[in-house]
């Protein structure tokens, strides 16, 4: 595989993010406004195959702290984001919101400061179908009748964004009774 456009210029680091654009000109536009100080690459084959380009370079991309997708603000770009995000661990991918079509349009229009701010303000991607709420219901799993009545529990997978200890304490009885294997995503 040829890799991502510009990939050969950067060594992954878990301390910094990499920006991925939908086109080479967009990557060059971002490189220009950042004075080539931060990693920026582009997919090679357009929005329709963005997920393939990223999947082929997943090991390299996972070497960075975050992956910031700065795709075009059109339907194809949005669909590409939806296909690319599931390739990575939860919280790894951030997405920019631009007021114009793409990074190059921002540069040409002289809105470089806005473009830079959009990159820094990129948000962890959450699909539209996930309802956002300020209230979260928290139940101890030891108190959920359907779980208490289980005959068998072989595996518990946790991805609770740093609340692992709280979650494990809330299921201490289930863990003691069934002694399942645990798969826990840990955050530092």
């Amino acid at each position: 595989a040829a890799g991502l456009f510009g990939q050969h210029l950067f060594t992954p680091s878990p301390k910094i993010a990499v920006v991925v654009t939908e086109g080479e000109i967009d990557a060059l536009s971002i490189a220009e406004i950042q004075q080539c100080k931060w990693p920026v690459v582009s997919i090679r084959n357009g929005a329709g195959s963005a997920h393939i380009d990223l999947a082929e370079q997943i090991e390299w991309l996972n070497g960075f702290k975050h992956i910031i997708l700065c795709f075009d603000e059109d339907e194809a770009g949005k669909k590409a984001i939806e296909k690319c995000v599931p390739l990575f661990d939860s919280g790894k991918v951030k997405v920019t919101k631009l007021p114009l079509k793409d990074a190059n349009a921002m540069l040409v229009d002289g809105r470089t400061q806005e473009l830079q701010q959009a990159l820094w303000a990129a948000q962890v991607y959450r699909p539209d179908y996930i309802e956002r709420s300020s209230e979260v219901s928290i139940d101890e799993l030891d108190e959920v009748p359907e779980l208490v009545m289980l005959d068998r529990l072989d595996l518990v997978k946790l991805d609770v964004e740093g609340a692992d200890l709280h979650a494990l304490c809330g299921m201490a009885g289930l863990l003691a009774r069934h002694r399942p294997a645990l798969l826990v995503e840990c955050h530092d």
Side-chain angles (χ1 to χ4, degrees):
L4 302 168
F5 173 80
Q7 179 178 344
H8 66 286
L9 299 171
F10 305 103
T11 301
S13 169
K15 295 181 180 183
I16 59 174
V18 60
V19 176
V20 180
T21 65
E22 192 178 319
E24 290 89 347
I25 298 297
D26 295 323
L28 292 170
S29 297
I30 291 173
E32 181 177 328
I33 69 149
Q34 295 183 334
Q35 301 172 338
C36 299
K37 292 180 182 174
W38 301 103
V40 58
V41 296
S42 172
I43 58 174
R44 289 195 179 265
N45 300 306
S49 61
H51 63 289
I52 296 168
D53 288 353
L54 296 189
E56 288 175 353
Q57 302 305 322
I58 200 157
E59 186 177 334
W60 184 83
L61 290 164
N62 274 327
F64 291 93
K65 181 175 184 174
H66 291 289
I67 300 153
I68 300 172
L69 298 181
C70 186
F71 287 1
D72 291 3
E73 293 289 333
D74 57 15
E75 198 58 36
K78 291 175 183 172
K79 285 182 180 177
I81 287 169
E82 289 181 14
K83 286 180 135 183
C84 291
V85 170
L87 297 170
F88 302 95
D89 289 341
S90 177
K92 181 83 169 179
V93 177
K94 293 184 175 187
V95 176
T96 60
K97 298 268 191 240
L98 301 178
L100 299 179
K101 178 188 178 287
D102 57 27
N104 186 59
M106 298 288 290
L107 176 66
V108 169
D109 202 42
R111 296 168 76 172
T112 58
Q113 192 170 23
E114 268 185 273
L115 176 55
Q116 184 63 56
Q117 288 170 348
L119 294 168
W120 288 115
Q123 297 290 310
V124 171
Y125 181 78
R126 302 277 186 248
D128 288 338
Y129 58 82
I130 295 179
E131 184 179 323
R132 289 164 175 82
S133 172
S134 59
E135 293 184 27
V136 176
S137 173
I138 299 174
D139 295 315
E140 289 189 14
L141 295 180
D142 281 339
E143 296 175 3
V144 176
E146 295 85 0
L147 294 176
V148 172
M149 296 172 19
L150 283 177
D151 292 329
R152 186 175 157 180
L153 180 63
D154 298 321
L155 174 70
V156 172
K157 179 183 177 203
L158 290 178
D159 181 0
V160 289
E161 303 299 321
D164 312 300
L165 185 58
H166 296 294
L168 291 169
C169 288
M171 64 175 93
L174 285 169
L175 296 175
R177 197 165 37 262
H178 298 285
R179 305 186 83 53
L182 296 175
L183 180 59
V184 181
E185 179 177 328
C186 298
H187 294 268
D188 53 349

